Amino acid sequence: MKRNPRKVKWTKAFRKAAGKEMTIDSTIDFEKRRNVPVRYDRDLVQTTIQAMKRVGEIKRKREHAFWKNRMAASREKQRAHRKKALEKAKESSTKLVAPIESPESSKVREKIKVPTRTRSALIQGEGRSMTMDVD
C-alpha cells in the first residue's frame, strides 16, 4: 500500500521513532541472523543456548527499566497538567465571587436623568424611515 512505516503505529520503525522502543541496546545486536554454517558441536550449542537465555533475561530487565522510566515521565506530565488545571480552577472560582460591598456605598445612590425624545420615531418624516416618500 506504499505507506511510510514510521507513520503506521504497529511497526518497529514507528515505535523506535516515537521513543516507545529501545533503540540503543547491545542485546538487539544478538538478534541479527548470521547465515554462516557452523559444524555441529555439542558444547557450542549448549553454551549458545545458555547465552541466549542470559541475553533474553538481560533484555527483559532493560526493557522493564525503560518502560518504568517512560511511565514515570508520563506520570510527571500528568501531575503537572493536573496542577495547572487546579490552579486555573482556583483562579476562575476566585474571579466569580463578587466583592463585598460596604453598607455606606449602598446608601448613596444618585438618580441619573436621561433625556428622552419628544417626537416619536414612528411619525413619518422624523429621523430615518424605511419607506420611500411618494410625491
Side-chain angles (χ1 to χ4, degrees):
M1 294 175 79
K2 295 185 180 180
R3 291 184 180 160
N4 188 346
R6 282 174 283 159
K7 293 186 178 181
V8 181
K9 291 195 174 189
W10 56 266
T11 60
K12 277 274 197 187
F14 171 84
R15 293 188 61 79
K16 284 184 179 180
K20 300 197 178 290
E21 196 76 26
M22 293 177 62
T23 54
I24 302 168
D25 189 15
S26 60
T27 58
I28 294 171
D29 297 335
F30 287 109
E31 293 179 356
K32 293 181 182 176
R33 288 186 179 178
R34 292 167 186 85
N35 294 327
V36 179
V38 179
R39 190 166 184 179
Y40 179 76
D41 183 13
R42 188 176 215 165
D43 294 331
L44 180 65
V45 170
Q46 196 173 16
T47 55
T48 304
I49 290 172
Q50 286 177 350
M52 287 170 59
K53 287 179 182 177
R54 182 72 178 131
V55 166
E57 184 182 319
I58 292 168
K59 189 174 179 181
R60 273 193 300 277
K61 283 182 182 178
R62 287 182 181 170
E63 283 178 354
H64 184 68
F66 179 76
W67 178 83
K68 262 185 151 176
N69 290 338
R70 265 197 320 124
M71 293 301 118
S74 68
R75 208 173 298 124
E76 289 299 320
K77 285 181 185 177
Q78 284 177 346
R79 285 181 184 156
H81 181 69
R82 284 186 192 144
K83 198 173 190 178
K84 285 181 183 178
L86 283 173
E87 288 174 2
K88 282 185 180 180
K90 285 180 182 178
E91 287 176 8
S92 64
S93 65
T94 55
K95 288 179 184 176
L96 293 176
V97 176
I100 300 171
E101 294 183 19
S102 63
E104 296 171 359
S105 63
S106 62
K107 289 180 183 177
V108 180
R109 289 189 183 181
E110 296 179 17
K111 290 186 178 181
I112 302 171
K113 293 183 180 181
V114 179
T116 57
R117 285 191 167 181
T118 55
R119 296 186 183 188
S120 175
L122 299 174
I123 300 172
Q124 271 188 337
E126 292 294 322
R128 296 182 185 170
S129 64
M130 297 297 288
T131 60
M132 293 176 58
D133 295 332
V134 180
D135 290 331

